[in-house]
Amino acid sequence: MMRGAVSTGLVTVMVMMLVVLNQIESAIVNDSLLPHRESCNIYIGNWVYDQSYPLYDSKTCPFIQKQFNCKPNGRPDSEYLKYRWQPSDCNLRRFDGLDFLGRVMRGKKLMFVGDSLSLNQWQSLTCLLHNAAPNAKFTPTRSASGLSVFSFPAYNSSIMFSRNAFLVDIVGAAPPNRVLKLDSISSGSLWKTADVLVFNSWHWWLHTGRKQPWDSIAYGNVNVKDMDRLEAYEKAMTTWANWVDQNIDPSKTKVFFQGVSPDHGRANEWSKQGGKGSCVGETTPVMGSNYLAGPHPAEMVVAKLIKKMKKPARLMDVTLMSQLRKDGHPSAYGIGGHKAPDCSHWCLAGVPDTWNQLLYNELFNY
């Protein structure tokens, strides 16, 4: 009886040890699949359906502006909320708001600088953090300069948004004397106050007519009424890249350029049968990793410039993954409704949450 009991006990212990070893091995394998900047491009992959998404309920986030708040605006479908970005060669760390506040950004300031797509991402991040720490006190403020600040005093952390659609300067207060200066940046003193900078610029470069906020373009000694917008964009982004090289200490400040967010106003960019359609009525992503229209020209400009920088910014290359999300826009459920559907911005919860998950992964490995 004694010998049998001992044998049974040994078998039990051995089985338990094997279970533990298997768990350790699985953990090691899983950890090896987590992204490392040297071995995995987290921006190449595809969207997969995941019932555990979205990362928060928009009903619990009181900061979402009406233009991004698709469900309360009447959007009837919910499948667009259920997709997760899956890189081809590794797994992303799931966004951990408490880790983001308590470790990654404790005592630091993060600033988004750009147009309303940066606003989109900024609001997404405030929702993600509020969802992770719903009882933490927060302080939203807006300065006279237009800087929006969302502070978490307990973590001595601030998430900021500075609206600056072109990054370079526009001088002159009123028509017809407003000049877009492609070789001038005067906002840099504000940018230097942040520990993490996330820049974005493209959509306003395409505006014409009454939406165009300048009357002429200046570069060096040249002043013209207009010019090729992609060429103007490249000159301006060269000025931005030079500013970063001359003013940023990479050991103190982390710099990212949020890749160009696409619009989905023409269905022939993702479908051979697209015709004159747009994002309106789209409820599912483009499956796979290929987008019919191919790389975005503005994204290619930024990628080329960053490679030439002496102190390279990190390109958050969100263009392809966002191109695949023809279903993620407010469309008829933004502030323009059916008369002016929005195929440029993104619903919240939605695609910008993944941009912030990618930013979290980038900062985790920085």
Side-chain angles (χ1 to χ4, degrees), residues 201-218:
S201 180
W202 170 244
H203 279 256
W204 277 84
W205 290 89
L206 300 178
H207 286 318
T208 58
R210 293 196 301 176
K211 285 189 174 182
Q212 179 180 298
W214 45 265
D215 305 297
S216 63
I217 299 175

Side-chain angles (χ1 to χ4, degrees), residues 1 19 49 75 82 186 221 233 244 271 328 353:
M1 293 288 292
V19 170
Y49 190 85
R75 181 163 180 167
K82 298 293 184 181
S186 61
N221 296 322
Y233 178 74
V244 172
S271 171
D353 304 327

Side-chain angles (χ1 to χ4, degrees), residues 254-307:
K254 299 175 176 65
V255 180
F256 296 90
F257 195 99
Q258 180 216 336
V260 175
S261 175
D263 63 57
H264 287 93
R266 298 170 296 279
N268 60 6
E269 291 191 352
W270 65 83
S271 171
K272 293 180 179 178
Q273 292 78 40
K276 297 181 179 180
S278 69
C279 72
V280 177
E282 295 291 340
T283 58
T284 57
V286 175
M287 293 291 102
S289 303
N290 296 308
Y291 191 68
L292 184 62
H296 195 291
E299 180 84 348
M300 296 171 70
V301 164
V302 173
K304 180 182 69 174
L305 288 173
I306 287 178
K307 287 181 180 179

Side-chain angles (χ1 to χ4, degrees), residues 171-236:
V171 298
N177 300 314
R178 301 167 302 172
V179 181
L180 176 62
K181 302 191 70 174
L182 302 182
D183 54 0
S184 173
I185 288 178
S186 61
S187 303
S189 57
L190 176 64
W191 301 349
K192 290 179 184 180
T193 63
D195 301 284
V196 178
L197 287 163
V198 184
F199 293 96
N200 156 63
S201 180
W202 170 244
H203 279 256
W204 277 84
W205 290 89
L206 300 178
H207 286 318
T208 58
R210 293 196 301 176
K211 285 189 174 182
Q212 179 180 298
W214 45 265
D215 305 297
S216 63
I217 299 175
Y219 185 77
N221 296 322
V222 177
N223 193 302
V224 295
K225 193 71 176 177
D226 205 348
M227 64 186 299
D228 178 87
R229 299 304 176 84
L230 190 62
E231 181 184 350
Y233 178 74
E234 182 168 5
K235 290 182 183 298

Side-chain angles (χ1 to χ4, degrees), residues 63-75:
F63 333 112
I64 303 176
Q65 291 189 2
K66 182 177 175 63
Q67 68 192 95
F68 310 138
N69 211 358
C70 301
K71 294 300 288 184
N73 290 345
R75 181 163 180 167

Side-chain angles (χ1 to χ4, degrees), residues 79-262:
E79 295 298 286
Y80 72 96
L81 295 167
K82 298 293 184 181
Y83 287 92
R84 170 176 57 81
W85 179 250
Q86 178 59 56
S88 299
D89 299 321
C90 59
N91 296 318
L92 286 175
R93 295 179 187 273
R94 192 176 178 91
F95 186 88
D96 185 334
L98 291 178
D99 182 60
F100 189 93
L101 281 171
R103 183 185 62 82
V104 176
M105 287 303 300
R106 180 181 288 275
K108 297 179 180 178
K109 298 177 180 179
L110 185 154
M111 184 185 296
F112 293 102
V113 183
D115 56 26
S116 52
L117 275 304
S118 290
L119 170 64
N120 221 174
Q121 187 174 2
W122 177 68
Q123 290 210 331
S124 161
L125 185 55
T126 61
C127 288
L128 287 164
L129 297 178
H130 179 64
N131 179 70
N135 298 318
K137 291 183 179 179
F138 59 88
T139 305
T141 59
R142 183 179 173 86
S143 70
S145 64
L147 180 68
S148 299
V149 182
F150 198 92
S151 301
F152 289 89
Y155 299 94
N156 189 26
S157 179
S158 297
I159 311 299
M160 302 178 285
F161 166 61
S162 176
R163 186 181 288 275
N164 191 325
F166 297 93
L167 303 185
V168 293
D169 296 334
I170 296 178
V171 298
N177 300 314
R178 301 167 302 172
V179 181
L180 176 62
K181 302 191 70 174
L182 302 182
D183 54 0
S184 173
I185 288 178
S186 61
S187 303
S189 57
L190 176 64
W191 301 349
K192 290 179 184 180
T193 63
D195 301 284
V196 178
L197 287 163
V198 184
F199 293 96
N200 156 63
S201 180
W202 170 244
H203 279 256
W204 277 84
W205 290 89
L206 300 178
H207 286 318
T208 58
R210 293 196 301 176
K211 285 189 174 182
Q212 179 180 298
W214 45 265
D215 305 297
S216 63
I217 299 175
Y219 185 77
N221 296 322
V222 177
N223 193 302
V224 295
K225 193 71 176 177
D226 205 348
M227 64 186 299
D228 178 87
R229 299 304 176 84
L230 190 62
E231 181 184 350
Y233 178 74
E234 182 168 5
K235 290 182 183 298
M237 293 306 101
T238 300
T239 300
W240 166 82
N242 290 337
W243 182 92
V244 172
D245 280 340
Q246 295 166 12
N247 292 275
I248 293 298
D249 180 350
S251 68
K252 297 179 180 178
T253 307
K254 299 175 176 65
V255 180
F256 296 90
F257 195 99
Q258 180 216 336
V260 175
S261 175

